[in-house]
Amino acid sequence: MVQIQAVLSVIFASLYLFLANASGPDPAQDFCIPTNTSYMTSHFHLLPCKPSTQVGPEDFVFSGIKSPRNFSDMGFAGISVTPVQFPGLSTLGMSFARADLKEGGVNVPHFRPRATETAYVVKGTVYSGFVDSTNRVFAKVIEAGEVMVYPRGLVHFQMNVGESPATIIGSFNGQNPEIQRIPNALFGAGVSDQLLEKAFGLTPREAEGGAQITGGSFAAPLEGRALGVGFSAAISGAWHHL
């Protein structure tokens, strides 16, 4: 019996270490440029590496964030860069992103389940903050040259409050941080309208309107559509009392 317990302890300990390292393993060599990037997924660190003699400086340079992508109706444009887009990051346990906000643009409340983030304001003036597990808000207007950190797994947000476009560079201590946007997770994923009505004190019309507004991608601002103001107020009030 003692031997069985010892064996099980070793198995569970090994499983724990495997899972702990799965999201960001320590590198076993200086770097690892995958041999075939066309097969890269969230498990890209399992791919074989090129021989170091076949690796050059170009493998460690990424040019895909020189300019913003198309803006959403929220006035937001984002570019996420993980080893899938930039193989030079593979096994290094990090990733980054570029975010651009038009005047009044919003990066809706969201969280990164697998990484802590630092947000560096390249230009502009941004209202930036996060909410901790006690529902305390830590928010401040930050300007070009300033950095804010968002702890792993906590909801955070950004809004351009300046009179010109803003650009932010985010860095993550995980190579696959992922993202969950709160509006999409609640109203764009098919959660029961009846549940949402009860959870947030919404009318059936407001709950249905929320799903239509998000459209699965949260491409348009709440205030820019019918029901927007009432819907936003209802959500805000409900969260305040949770």
Side-chain angles (χ1 to χ4, degrees):
M1 183 67 179
V2 175
Q3 291 180 334
I4 294 176
Q5 290 178 336
V7 171
L8 288 175
S9 297
V10 172
I11 292 174
F12 283 121
S14 300
L15 180 61
Y16 172 81
L17 290 174
F18 173 79
L19 293 175
N21 288 329
S23 62
D26 289 331
Q29 60 279 319
D30 292 339
F31 50 80
C32 174
I33 307 300
T35 54
N36 191 338
T37 58
S38 63
Y39 292 100
M40 294 187 74
T41 67
S42 60
H43 301 288
F44 31 68
H45 62 273
L46 299 178
L47 295 175
C49 310
K50 289 181 182 179
S52 59
T53 54
Q54 297 178 16
V55 177
E58 64 279 0
D59 289 303
F60 302 99
V61 177
F62 183 76
S63 303
I65 60 170
K66 287 184 177 181
S67 57
R69 290 185 178 170
N70 295 331
F71 284 87
S72 70
D73 291 342
M74 294 293 292
F76 171 79
I79 304 173
S80 294
V81 184
T82 71
V84 174
Q85 294 80 26
F86 182 18
L89 294 174
S90 181
T91 74
L92 299 183
M94 66 169 296
S95 53
F96 57 92
R98 170 175 174 155
D100 290 90
L101 297 163
K102 292 183 177 180
E103 294 178 37
V106 173
N107 188 2
V108 299
H110 60 280
F111 66 94
R112 302 276 184 174
R114 301 174 189 159
T116 291
E117 176 182 356
T118 57
Y120 170 72
V121 181
V122 178
K123 65 177 182 179
T125 305
V126 178
Y127 176 66
S128 172
F130 65 89
V131 184
D132 73 4
S133 58
T134 67
N135 291 330
R136 181 182 175 188
V137 178
F138 295 81
K140 187 179 186 297
V141 174
I142 56 177
E143 300 177 337
E146 294 186 305
V147 178
M148 189 166 195
V149 62
Y150 309 128
R152 174 180 173 174
L154 296 187
V155 173
H156 53 278
F157 49 82
Q158 299 154 343
M159 180 171 67
N160 184 354
V161 295
E163 298 180 353
S164 61
T167 299
I168 301 166
I169 297 295
S171 297
F172 312 99
N173 67 339
Q175 61 184 25
N176 187 29
E178 288 296 352
I179 183 172
Q180 279 196 285
R181 294 179 175 85
I182 301 304
N184 293 51
L186 293 175
F187 295 93
V191 177
S192 165
D193 285 348
Q194 185 178 8
L195 184 149
L196 295 173
E197 292 165 21
K198 292 182 177 181
F200 295 101
L202 302 175
T203 66
R205 185 164 176 261
E206 286 172 335
E208 182 181 356
Q212 293 174 349
I213 290 168
T214 57
S217 62
F218 206 75
L222 296 177
E223 290 78 9
R225 298 286 186 89
L227 299 178
V229 175
F231 176 75
S232 299
I235 292 296
S236 176
W239 275 114
H240 181 72
H241 290 95
L242 288 179

